Amino acid sequence: AQSVTQPDIHITVSEGASLELRCNYSYGATPYLFWYVQSPGQGLQLLLKYFSGDTLVQGIKGFEAEFKRSQSSFNLRKPSVHWSDAAEYFCALYNFNKFYFGSGTKLNVKP
Amino acid sequence: DAGVIQSPRHEVTEMGQEVTLRCKPISGHNSLFWYRQTMMRGLELLIYFNNNVPIDDSGMPEDRFSAKMPNASFSTLKIQPSEPRDSAVYFCASSFGEPGTDTQYFGPGTRLTVL
């Protein structure tokens, strides 16, 4: 069965530091993969998505993610975090008319 | 564009009452999604429609929940009878094109409290 795992429930980084949020998926072939961000009291906003091709995907707000088939991972990265990046981040997978969401990672940014 | 519109934004009701949540997708979008978010269970996809037809309703918790999309510009999620464990934030989202690949745009959510 397909699934999405975000192993880190909470992460705290200092402003200006680099960020990597982990996402692992369980699926036999290459799925469609997404990263969403949710600010407090808001709905989700799509950061980026991967379907095929170049395994390094660029998104909005300076985020990028790398698809690694060998590790079944789709980690989200940002070279320098801003205080406004504090939010909850969700990794998601789509295949065969079904969506699967990870449990989310809450990012806290220290001044 | 006004974005996805949900109403009401907040709903407080008593156990056993019927609750109806409403969603107006972005004009021209052909897919609509209903999600539920709680601290305990996280974000769950309840059901989604494509061209007004339900495609996957496997996330609908039980028979007390029902969703309809009578036309391209309106959808409802009904809970009857409501229970305290239904308390959550319910999001509606819409997208254009392929439901799995095109960007979903989320509404602000309806915070439901069942006493």
Side-chain angles (χ1 to χ4, degrees):
Chain A
Q2 292 94 335
S3 68
V4 177
T5 303
Q6 294 180 246
D8 304 306
I9 299 174
H10 288 98
I11 282 186
T12 297
V13 300
S14 297
E15 190 168 16
S18 63
L19 170 70
E20 182 168 30
L21 302 183
R22 296 184 291 165
C23 173
N24 294 97
Y25 67 91
S26 171
Y27 178 60
T30 300
Y32 296 157
L33 295 163
F34 308 81
W35 273 102
Y36 287 87
V37 60
Q38 184 180 30
S39 298
Q42 304 291 318
L44 276 67
Q45 181 183 24
L46 181 69
L47 286 174
L48 47 81
K49 55 188 175 183
Y50 173 78
F51 301 150
S52 64
D54 192 345
T55 57
L56 186 62
V57 181
Q58 301 298 319
I60 63 172
K61 305 186 179 188
F63 285 92
E64 66 178 26
E66 186 171 12
F67 171 69
K68 293 185 177 180
R69 183 193 305 277
S70 61
Q71 298 178 19
S72 296
S73 69
F74 187 57
N75 294 349
L76 182 70
R77 301 194 295 244
K78 187 170 185 177
S80 178
V81 169
H82 188 262
W83 64 266
S84 60
D85 293 325
E88 189 161 17
Y89 293 79
F90 292 90
C91 183
L93 175 159
Y94 171 80
N95 190 58
F96 291 128
N97 288 338
K98 289 195 178 290
F99 290 87
Y100 305 87
F101 282 81
S103 54
T105 298
K106 287 188 177 177
L107 174 65
N108 182 42
V109 180
K110 292 191 301 184
Chain B
D1 198 318
V4 175
I5 298 173
Q6 292 187 246
S7 64
R9 293 294 310 276
H10 300 271
E11 176 82 27
V12 180
T13 190
E14 293 189 345
M15 182 174 63
Q17 296 299 306
E18 177 180 294
V19 175
T20 299
L21 310 182
R22 296 173 176 79
C23 177
K24 177 178 170 55
I26 293 173
S27 178
H29 283 192
N30 59 354
S31 293
L32 184 140
F33 308 79
W34 281 103
Y35 293 87
R36 178 174 68 176
Q37 187 174 38
T38 62
M39 290 291 291
M40 291 295 294
R41 301 174 67 94
L43 186 69
E44 303 171 279
L45 176 64
L46 300 177
I47 184 171
Y48 77 93
F49 297 84
N50 184 239
N51 295 322
N52 310 338
V53 176
I55 303 301
D56 180 20
D57 64 354
S58 59
M60 294 287 266
E62 49 199 271
D63 292 345
R64 297 185 298 106
F65 285 69
S66 63
K68 293 182 179 179
M69 191 163 188
N71 57 63
S73 59
F74 183 67
S75 176
T76 59
L77 178 67
K78 187 175 293 186
I79 308 172
Q80 166 62 22
S82 59
E83 298 182 3
R85 60 191 168 122
D86 302 329
S87 297
V89 179
Y90 291 82
F91 289 102
C92 176
S94 70
S95 70
F96 174 75
E98 289 298 318
T101 58
D102 286 283
T103 301
Q104 294 183 34
Y105 294 86
F106 281 72
T110 295
R111 182 173 295 276
L112 173 66
T113 302
V114 183
L115 303 174

